[in-house]
Amino acid sequence: MSSTKIFITGATGYIGGSVLSRLLAHPEAKSFEFTALARSAEKAAKLNTVGVKTVLGSYSDLDLLTKSAKEADIVIAVADSDNLPAAEAILKGQKEKFEETGKAPILIHTSGTAIISDDARGQHGDHTIYSDLDSDAIEALPETALHRNVDIATVKADKEGYVTAYLITPGTVFGLAEGPLVDIGVQHKYSIQLPLFIKVSAARKKAGYIGAGKNLWAAASNRDTADLFVLIFNAARKNPSSLGHGRDGFYFVENAEYSGFEVAEETGKVLAELGIAESPEATSNTAEELKQFFGDWWTLLSTNSRAKGDRSRAVGWKPVDGKKEFIQSIRPEVLEVVKSIEK
């Protein structure tokens, strides 16, 4: 029996590493041949120790991406969701694969609910709650929205028939990552979004939020997010008729909703306990602080992004971690971020 060849990007990242760890423990793992894109020889060597082949390079190495995608039956892209040239290079390889075999390869692409974000600037939480079942509303999103350039190209490739694409679309992903890739020191333990706010709060020695901190974001845990990737992976291989794909292939990842103020409030408690902040009280970042700590990104970080993963649940996804777990996850993230700052 021939093996299923899987090419994964972002394998050492927070989400990608957790997805790869799950697949390495998959009941059918012996029939999978994994190849991961690795930026350094050191990371490649560590991945090799757990049975993952590697190609050395980055999302700038377009020919390498095309070649690696062409050689794979399934591509799982969990790296830069906004890098259109890299996405097009992967799709080019998959198109060449299709032209040779007549069978459309699978693409599991990672987008994000920033596609539905607004310009709230932290002042309110009044925003449309988008369902991933509403394909018309998603298709009507502006091309200028974050991630949309890559999403549009991916959906177009699916429509043209040379790839079957599933777009997994998380909100904020929370919780420290665990697993074999963390254990061997190759996977990032935490995400970018929440730790950025924690780092800024630590630097200003007072927990902070943007505007009034009223903006709302969808969230799901790292482990629930990895569960959805594996569910889609399994169904795409075994029962593709059960899954929407392309235009109808967005799968929102959410099981909680939080405000900017709630993150700052919990962060403040921990910073005060650690003696970094004099008081647990959280305050709004000043205009000068926004420019100093966030640059032009502050408007994006203070948006609303309200989503419902109805399609995700309809195909059998059963997330476990909710709002309580989200709030509880902030303390260990603060401790981890402070530890990294002090190194």
Side-chain angles (χ1 to χ4, degrees):
M1 184 179 171
S2 61
S3 60
T4 301
K5 295 182 177 180
I6 302 163
F7 176 52
I8 181 167
T9 69
T12 62
Y14 173 61
I15 297 174
S18 294
V19 172
L20 179 55
S21 292
R22 295 291 182 88
L23 295 179
L24 288 168
H26 194 284
E28 299 170 55
K30 288 184 179 178
S31 69
F32 302 152
E33 183 180 310
F34 297 101
T35 301
L37 182 69
R39 285 179 175 271
S40 69
E42 180 189 4
K43 287 186 175 182
K46 288 180 177 180
L47 287 168
N48 294 160
T49 66
V50 293
V52 178
K53 295 179 180 179
T54 52
V55 288
L56 271 178
S58 71
Y59 259 28
S60 298
D61 299 306
L62 303 184
D63 290 343
L64 178 65
L65 291 174
T66 296
K67 180 177 184 294
S68 300
K70 181 180 179 180
E71 293 172 352
D73 302 301
I74 300 172
V75 174
I76 304 175
V78 204
D80 186 346
S81 303
D82 298 288
N83 191 321
L84 183 59
E88 289 176 335
I90 288 171
L91 289 169
K92 180 183 177 185
Q94 293 191 289
K95 186 174 186 179
E96 291 175 2
K97 171 93 171 179
F98 170 73
E99 288 169 347
E100 284 189 5
T101 65
K103 182 181 178 182
I106 293 167
L107 171 61
I108 301 176
H109 170 72
T110 311
S111 182
T113 65
I115 60 174
I116 56 172
S117 59
D118 63 4
D119 190 31
R121 304 192 178 209
Q123 296 300 332
H124 63 83
D126 182 19
H127 185 55
T128 301
I129 301 174
Y130 284 80
S131 167
D132 51 6
L133 284 172
D134 194 343
S135 301
D136 289 342
I138 294 172
E139 195 166 57
L141 293 169
E143 293 183 23
T144 53
L146 206 64
H147 315 321
R148 283 295 288 156
N149 57 342
V150 176
D151 290 356
I152 289 168
T154 302
V155 169
K156 181 173 181 284
D158 180 280
K159 186 176 182 180
E160 291 177 6
Y162 64 83
V163 68
T164 305
Y166 308 94
L167 298 94
I168 297 185
T169 309
T172 298
V173 184
F174 66 87
L176 297 179
E178 298 176 335
L181 299 188
V182 172
D183 296 341
I184 62 174
V186 75
Q187 179 187 355
H188 294 296
K189 287 180 71 173
Y190 48 79
S191 67
I192 297 171
Q193 196 171 1
L194 292 182
L196 176 57
F197 282 100
I198 294 167
K199 286 175 184 174
V200 170
S201 292
R204 70 197 289 268
K205 301 191 182 305
K206 184 181 281 286
Y209 48 88
I210 299 176
K214 293 180 178 179
N215 57 301
L216 298 170
W217 262 72
S221 70
N222 179 277
R223 59 185 175 183
D224 283 336
T225 302
D227 278 349
L228 181 59
F229 272 88
V230 175
L231 187 153
I232 298 296
F233 171 84
N234 288 335
R237 292 162 49 245
K238 303 282 189 176
N239 189 20
S241 63
S242 69
L243 293 177
H245 60 90
R247 180 183 184 274
D248 299 317
F250 284 83
Y251 294 85
F252 288 168
V253 193
E254 58 71 34
N255 199 40
E257 192 172 68
Y258 71 92
S259 70
F261 178 78
E262 287 172 315
V263 173
E265 183 178 45
E266 194 64 23
T267 300
K269 293 176 186 176
V270 185
L271 291 179
E273 288 174 18
L274 295 173
I276 294 171
E278 289 185 4
S279 160
E281 180 193 6
T283 61
S284 181
N285 283 275
T286 65
E288 293 75 17
E289 286 172 328
L290 291 177
K291 185 176 181 181
Q292 177 186 351
F293 294 120
F294 299 107
D296 293 337
W297 283 97
W298 76 267
T299 53
L300 172 67
L301 294 166
S302 55
T303 58
N304 289 299
S305 183
R306 307 186 68 185
K308 287 300 294 180
D310 297 317
R311 187 186 302 278
S312 298
R313 288 175 175 81
V315 298
W317 183 55
K318 297 176 181 177
V320 174
D321 300 318
K323 183 65 171 284
K324 181 181 78 171
E325 288 77 16
F326 172 80
I327 297 297
Q328 289 174 344
S329 77
I330 294 173
R331 175 179 294 271
E333 290 230 22
V334 173
L335 296 176
E336 194 71 27
V337 168
V338 168
K339 187 168 67 175
S340 72
I341 292 171
E342 292 173 347
K343 281 184 180 177

